[in-house]
Amino acid sequence: MKVFSKVTSYGLVTLLASLFLLMAYASISHDPHWHIEELAVPTPDHPLAGLWKEGTCEPPWGLAIGPISSGLYYVSFCGPGGCLDRGEYRPNTPILDDPHYKVINQNTLLFLQDDSWSTLVRCKEMN
C-alpha cells in the first residue's frame, strides 16, 4: 500500500510540475498581438477602422478593424488574452463591398457570421 501511495504522489507531483512548465512556456511563447488593437485607428482612407463590439461596449471581446492596404481592412478577434494576428480570424476586406458586412452608420456595422447578423458598435477601447 505504501508503494502505491508513493507512486501516486510522484505521479501527481510530475503532473503538477508538467502543468506549471506548460503554463510558463505558453505565457512566454504566446504573442498577444496587442499591436493589432493599437493599429485599429480610423484615418481618412480607412474611416471604419476602430474597435468594435457586439451590442454594447461592455463585453471583454470584440473585433479590431484596421487598415491593411489601400482600400482594405484587417478584421481581428480580440479578447482579454490579446488579439489574433491579421488574417488569422477573417480575410482582409473592403467592408463596403463585402456581403459579410453592412454599414449602418459610422459607428454601427452589421457582421454576418454563421448565417446570423450581429450588430457591432464602435468602442473607444477593447478592455
Side-chain angles (χ1 to χ4, degrees):
M1 197 64 138
K2 288 183 182 183
V3 172
F4 179 72
S5 67
K6 282 187 179 185
V7 170
T8 304
S9 67
Y10 287 129
L12 181 60
V13 169
T14 302
L15 178 64
L16 291 174
S18 298
L19 286 173
F20 174 78
L21 290 174
L22 181 62
M23 289 175 14
Y25 176 77
S27 68
I28 292 169
S29 66
H30 173 70
D31 181 355
H33 298 292
W34 287 119
H35 65 282
I36 297 299
E37 182 179 335
E38 294 166 2
L39 296 173
V41 177
T43 66
D45 293 336
H46 293 86
L48 297 173
L51 305 174
W52 298 81
K53 293 188 178 190
E54 189 173 347
T56 67
C57 290
E58 292 181 25
W61 59 86
L63 300 180
I65 298 176
I68 191 73
S69 65
S70 180
L72 292 178
Y73 295 87
Y74 65 82
V75 179
S76 295
F77 179 82
C78 296
C83 300
L84 294 175
D85 203 1
R86 291 172 282 206
E88 289 182 352
Y89 178 64
R90 304 288 296 177
N92 296 337
T93 176
I95 295 181
L96 291 174
D97 295 326
D98 189 325
H100 292 96
Y101 303 87
K102 292 181 183 176
V103 178
I104 304 303
N105 60 46
Q106 68 179 8
N107 293 310
T108 310
L109 295 174
L110 295 181
F111 173 62
L112 180 63
Q113 184 173 359
D114 300 328
D115 297 326
S116 65
W117 289 96
S118 297
T119 301
L120 303 177
V121 295
R122 191 188 317 248
C123 303
K124 294 195 185 292
E125 54 189 46
M126 191 57 65
N127 296 320

